[in-house]
């Protein structure tokens, strides 16, 4: 069984990315053959700054390796080091109805927010379909907001297969049922484009600043507080076991402490959770050559598979004559 997922190097990764998708993806190394890539082509839809993109690609690689992608077990590469995917993107574009792309939430959300729409953003689900289909992926671990893109991939693959025979493998998405959507410091979905994130590996001072920004009601120290609707509590749920959560509930119900105290508890839990990855992160950050070698090796493994699949597809559509 082949499991494939990608993440865009378009900014600093946050705990929403981690719990929504990265964690599941890394754990899936035990369930099958993992193909994980840094979606550099996709990032071009929003990043227009050369140094920023280069820095983000490298940081994404360091983060994924530190969090547990094992390059001996999995194939890990940068999307644009396997350019064959772009050829499949074009072929699939001819099996993608305009209406399908017009219905994409991600495109609609971004344009509603005033993010300028260009063709790259509009057609990005077709490139994502090419990513998935060129590697014959069976399972695609994603966050909730990416499910629609995997469904579009299935539609595109079925249309193609109806025209040329059973050539493309129909994938399925996989989400973490326990973590639907991680809230940001303002209670809305955590997203780098909303500026409401809590970073995973932020500098201690910065992380504290982000946690302290979490919006709560204005109950004071001497008042009993509601834990079930509190943003701090919702974030604590990601880091605490049942016993810890019950004792936190007690603290909400017992006058004497304020939200500032609960925020510090959350901050400790975040630091504790990501501390084990810090050494590896420092190591990879200081050894860029090794990181680049790992990525190059991953790309060469991925490229062999992509080239084989593309050959079959080119044959099927009549490009090999
Ligand atoms: P962002 O919204 O910050 O731009 P991306 O769109 O790059 O994040 O998402 C990368 C991955 O992380 C996707 O699979 C997405 O579903 C997941 N993800 C992002 N934000 C959240 C969140 N708040 N809760 C759960 N999953 C999330
Ligand atoms: N679109 C995904 C995101 O923004 C990243 C991505 C690109 C991806 N290609 C993919 C995810 C293929 C899974 C499979 O998060």
């Amino acid at each position: 069984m082949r499991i494939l997922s990608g993440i865009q190097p378009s900014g600093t990764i946050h705990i929403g990315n981690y719990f929504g998708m990265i964690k599941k993806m890394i754990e899936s190394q035990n369930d099958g053959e993992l193909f994980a890539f840094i979606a550099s082509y996709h990032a071009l839809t929003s990043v227009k700054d050369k140094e920023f993109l280069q820095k983000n690609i490298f940081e994404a690689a360091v983060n994924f390796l530190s969090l547990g992608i094992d390059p001996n077990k999995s194939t890990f590469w940068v999307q644009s080091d396997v350019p064959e995917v772009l050829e499949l993107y074009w072929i699939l574009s001819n099996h993608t109805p305009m209406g399908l792309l017009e219905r994409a939430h991600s495109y609609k959300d971004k344009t509603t927010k005033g993010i300028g729409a260009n063709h790259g953003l509009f057609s990005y689900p077709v490139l994502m379909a090419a990513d998935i289909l060129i590697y014959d992926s069976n399972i695609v671990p994603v966050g909730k907001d990416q499910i629609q893109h995997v469904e579009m991939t299935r539609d595109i693959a079925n249309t193609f297969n109806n025209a040329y025979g059973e050539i493309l493998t129909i994938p399925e998405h996989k989400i973490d049922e326990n973590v639907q959507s991680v809230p940001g410091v303002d209670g809305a979905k955590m997203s780098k484009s909303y500026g409401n994130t809590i970073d995973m590996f932020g500098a201690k001072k910065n992380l504290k600043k982000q946690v302290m920004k979490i919006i709560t009601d204005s109950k004071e120290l001497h008042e009993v507080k509601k834990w079930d609707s509190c943003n701090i509590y919702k974030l604590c749920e990601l880091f605490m076991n049942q016993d810890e959560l019950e004792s936190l509930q007690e603290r909400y119900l017992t006058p004497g402490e304020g939200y500032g105290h609960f925020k510090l508890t959350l901050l400790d839990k975040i630091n504790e959770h990501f501390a084990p990855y810090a050494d590896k992160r420092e190591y990879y950050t200081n050894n860029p050559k090794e990181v680049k070698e790992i990525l190059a090796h991953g790309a060469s493994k991925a490229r062999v598979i992509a080239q084989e699949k593309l050959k079959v597809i080119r044959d099927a559509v009549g490009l090999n004559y």
Side-chain angles (χ1 to χ4, degrees), residues 23-306:
K23 187 163 176 268
K24 187 114 237 109
M25 170 168 136
I26 287 174
E27 285 167 2
S28 69
Q29 290 183 111
N30 304 319
D31 306 334
E33 186 192 9
L34 177 67
F35 274 50
F37 65 93
I38 299 169
S40 46
Y41 284 138
H42 278 100
L44 287 176
T45 62
S46 59
V47 182
K48 315 287 181 199
D49 176 317
K50 171 182 167 175
E51 273 84 27
F52 187 62
L53 184 60
Q54 289 174 323
K55 171 179 152 286
N56 283 344
I57 293 173
F58 179 71
E59 266 182 15
V62 167
N63 287 336
F64 273 66
L65 291 168
S66 318
L67 288 167
I69 290 274
D70 177 350
N72 296 316
K73 216 171 177 182
S74 302
T75 305
F76 180 50
W77 76 102
V78 178
Q79 183 187 32
S80 46
D81 288 340
V82 184
E84 282 75 8
V85 77
L86 290 181
E87 185 171 345
L88 182 56
Y89 158 73
W90 175 251
I91 294 173
L92 295 177
S93 290
N94 301 292
H95 297 272
T96 309
M98 289 293 282
L100 188 73
L101 295 179
E102 275 158 1
R103 286 192 296 276
H105 300 309
S106 62
Y107 169 72
K108 283 200 286 193
D109 289 353
K110 288 195 174 128
T111 46
T112 321
K113 266 184 246 132
I115 299 173
N118 57 38
H119 178 256
L121 184 65
F122 183 66
S123 65
Y124 135 155
V126 190
L127 180 55
M128 182 156 162
D131 288 328
I132 296 170
L133 298 170
I134 205 163
Y135 300 107
D136 279 323
S137 316
N138 306 103
I139 303 286
V140 185
V142 282
K144 201 177 157 204
D145 56 346
Q146 294 289 328
I147 296 176
Q148 192 195 27
H149 291 152
V150 182
E151 279 164 1
M152 291 166 84
T153 302
R154 293 164 60 90
D155 287 347
I156 297 169
N158 278 318
T159 311
F160 182 94
N161 283 353
N162 285 338
Y164 298 110
E166 296 303 306
I167 290 169
L168 303 176
T169 301
I170 310 296
E172 275 174 40
H173 70 260
K174 185 170 180 186
I175 57 165
D176 191 337
E177 297 295 345
N178 302 319
V179 187
Q180 293 281 313
S181 183
V182 175
V185 296
D186 56 357
K189 174 194 173 281
M190 185 178 290
S191 170
K192 55 187 167 288
S193 37
Y194 303 159
N196 63 356
T197 57
I198 298 178
D199 298 341
M200 276 178 58
F201 293 122
K204 281 226 157 93
K205 216 170 113 203
N206 195 35
L207 191 65
K208 184 166 179 189
K209 227 160 113 192
Q210 292 176 327
V211 169
M212 288 301 164
K213 274 200 323 208
I214 298 174
I215 294 175
T216 61
D217 62 30
S218 50
K219 289 218 162 64
E220 299 194 17
L221 290 187
H222 63 275
E223 292 179 279
V224 167
K225 295 167 196 69
K226 282 179 83 156
W227 49 270
D228 48 356
S229 52
C230 179
N231 289 327
I232 309 169
Y233 184 87
K234 284 186 199 150
L235 288 163
C236 282
E237 281 184 307
L238 299 165
F239 296 94
M240 289 184 176
N241 62 32
Q242 201 48 39
D243 284 351
E244 290 171 316
L245 286 172
E246 277 167 25
S247 75
L248 182 61
Q249 290 172 16
E250 271 305 309
R251 291 172 60 192
Y252 272 78
L253 299 174
T254 314
E257 284 191 288
Y259 291 115
H261 297 101
F262 305 149
K263 286 179 183 175
L264 290 177
T265 300
L266 172 63
L267 183 63
D268 285 345
K269 291 305 290 185
I270 299 176
N271 280 325
E272 190 184 306
H273 191 92
F274 295 116
Y277 309 111
D279 286 351
K280 260 181 137 183
R281 218 175 149 251
E282 200 184 315
Y283 172 80
Y284 285 121
T285 305
N286 294 328
N287 289 280
K289 200 164 155 262
E290 187 175 332
V291 173
K292 286 178 189 173
E293 275 165 15
I294 291 173
L295 292 172
H297 179 64
S300 66
K301 280 203 294 181
R303 198 160 188 194
V304 170
I305 297 169

